[in-house]
Amino acid sequence: MEKLFIKGGQRLHGNIQVSGAKNSAVALIPASILSESEIILDNLPEISDVHIYGEILKELGASVTLEGETMRIDSSNLRPQAMPNGKVKYLRASYYLMGAMLGRFGKATIGMPGGCNLGPRPIDQHIKGFEALGAVITHEQGSLHIQAKQLTGTRIYLDVVSVGATINIMLAAARAKGKTIIENAAKEPEIIDVATLLNSMGANIKGAGTDVIRIRGVNKLHGCRHSIIPDRIEAGTYMIAAAATGGDVRVENVIPRHLESLTAKLREMNVEVEEIDDAIRVTGNKDYHSVDIKTLPYPGFPTDLQQPMTALLTLAQGTSIVTDNIYQSRFRHADHLNNMGASVKVEGRSAVIEGRRDLHATKVTATDLRAGAALVIAGLMADGITEISGVYHIDRGYARLEEKLKGLNAQMWRESR
Ligand code: EPU
């Protein structure tokens, strides 16, 4: 089992490059199977989720090559086989194979998706969308069987603003007959990225990035080459790490607009944040104020940065309240932060953080991806050597984490024990 060791107390400084967005990548890879021609994806992050998705497509019969940050996918020989078990169980975003297979073959059989345990994560809105398009869905032995004689465009109102449901419906509707309108759609930048890829493949999708998306179905999609947008959550994690160590870091290859909610909160805390074209410079100090945070769908404060922010707020003067409106239980990092000397009390969907605590190193466990990011930040802040297990969670979403942080003066290493 691999463990990550961090010798805390170093001030981060220098430049760091952000990779392509995980949550785009895991939608763009399945989106590519809507075409029988080759799709080339550039700027893919080097993370385990990308490797696993490539393996899943190979198991289905596609030809997939991954060289560095470029994946070539030729799914002309892909078959609509059932995917009840195996890798799909471990990858939350395997649910995109439902929309993509349905769009390509009119059918899909797939096990219920796994992923981080953040409380209940229903997919009723995905199902509602597929049914509205004409699919019949049955649930047997842990798998969903989705079948449609003909997918036909319609108007779909999402009861919950959902990234996954919005993308999955776009995938299923791209080759459907007629026009689909998704109302109360999610507006995340990753949704625009998926629409951009699909349009480059010949789809007709308008309005991605707003809450009404219009899709006019086309018969066939062709090949193309697409470069993935930067990962705003990875960028945000490094911005928070810079502030947490009183550092001076230029986070490069970002779209600053995607990070506005974080930038605003950091400034409210008295962190200096400067936007420079496609970079953000964060200059920290040791005199931060407490802030309250409520996570919301984009452009609100992202739930995926709530956990890293909790670590930073242990430094701030006063009491901060972080409320997660997206997930019921995304505070499993709190106990581990408390073991390091923090005071984080979880009350329902909120965490109450008493600041001005000095963190000390101990053995902690990453229970999910962003909990892992929070513990890395805490380790960078703490006195002594922090030992983090559950590193595979972190590897799902952060490309070359140690290499990148070591480039900023962090002292960290990995050991198999
Ligand atoms: N929801 C429903 N019904 C549905 C779908 C969602 O009730 O059919 C609820 C969820 O339970 C949740 C809320 O709606 O309470 C939002 O869920 P959403 O569908 O937007 O989340 P997701 O698509 O499953 C993606 C990211 C998550 C990120 C969320 C919110 C991917 C692969 N995952 O998940 O990323 O937290 O959007 O922004 O894109 C992460 O990167 O650490 C991560 C968990």
Side-chain angles (χ1 to χ4, degrees), residues 293 310 319-325 327-335 338 343-354:
I293 292 174
T310 312
T319 306
S320 303
I321 302 178
V322 174
T323 305
D324 199 317
N325 292 308
Y327 294 114
Q328 263 179 41
S329 52
R330 208 178 195 180
F331 289 112
R332 297 207 296 154
H333 57 307
D335 285 346
N338 290 339
S343 167
V344 183
K345 286 200 186 77
V346 178
E347 294 170 8
R349 279 176 174 257
S350 296
V352 181
I353 304 136
E354 299 290 347

Side-chain angles (χ1 to χ4, degrees), residues 23 95 122-125 160 162-164 304 326-327 330 370:
N23 288 344
Y95 56 35
I123 55 165
D124 55 298
Q125 299 302 306
V160 181
S162 159
V163 175
D304 299 339
I326 308 294
Y327 294 114
R330 208 178 195 180
R370 308 301 172 187

